[in-house]
Amino acid sequence: MNQQVQKNTLYVGGLAEEANETILHSAFIPFGDIKDVKTPLDQATQKHRSFGFVTFLEREDAAAAMDNMDGAELYGRVLTVNYALPEKIKGGEQGWAAQPIWADADTWFERQQQEEEMQRIQAENRASMQAAEELHRKKLADEREGEKDEADTKDDPMAMAEAEAVKQNDS
């Protein structure tokens, strides 16, 4: 599964129970401006699930934070810090996608129209090619007929005599 990595959003795993979004923000702010901090909650306990996401404004800041904070301790727990993968939402033409199923609707219709247009153009091209081939075959057949007429005249003494008589009558 080859998912696109989000280079300015970091996954931060191994968070202690005491850690919250404010503490996470404070721990990562020394590396650059932070756009967003999220710690997804467990629906049953309403506590974070021991991981969070920190989104920096700049990729370079995210890279520096990852280099410095991966393996660091926060509230006695060792952090795992990596680039985050996009959120998985069921849907889209590729199955699991980072957007809802209806997000592809416009592009799907566009591609369908383009495909139909291509098929129409290919059919026209095939018809044109067949017509051109037929014309070429007919031309070759006519040329061969002309060659046969000339060859018949050269070998046939009656035809030669007739041609000679026609020439004399014309002069």
Side-chain angles (χ1 to χ4, degrees), residues 86-105:
E87 201 176 330
K88 288 182 181 178
I89 299 174
K90 180 78 173 135
E93 288 185 337
Q94 278 77 47
W96 288 102
Q99 68 259 97
I101 194 167
W102 57 86
D104 306 355

Side-chain angles (χ1 to χ4, degrees), residues 37-55:
V37 176
K38 283 198 167 81
T39 53
L41 298 179
D42 183 324
Q43 296 300 319
T45 64
Q46 288 302 307
K47 294 181 181 180
H48 69 72
R49 298 171 10 199
S50 76
F51 67 91
F53 298 96
V54 179
T55 303

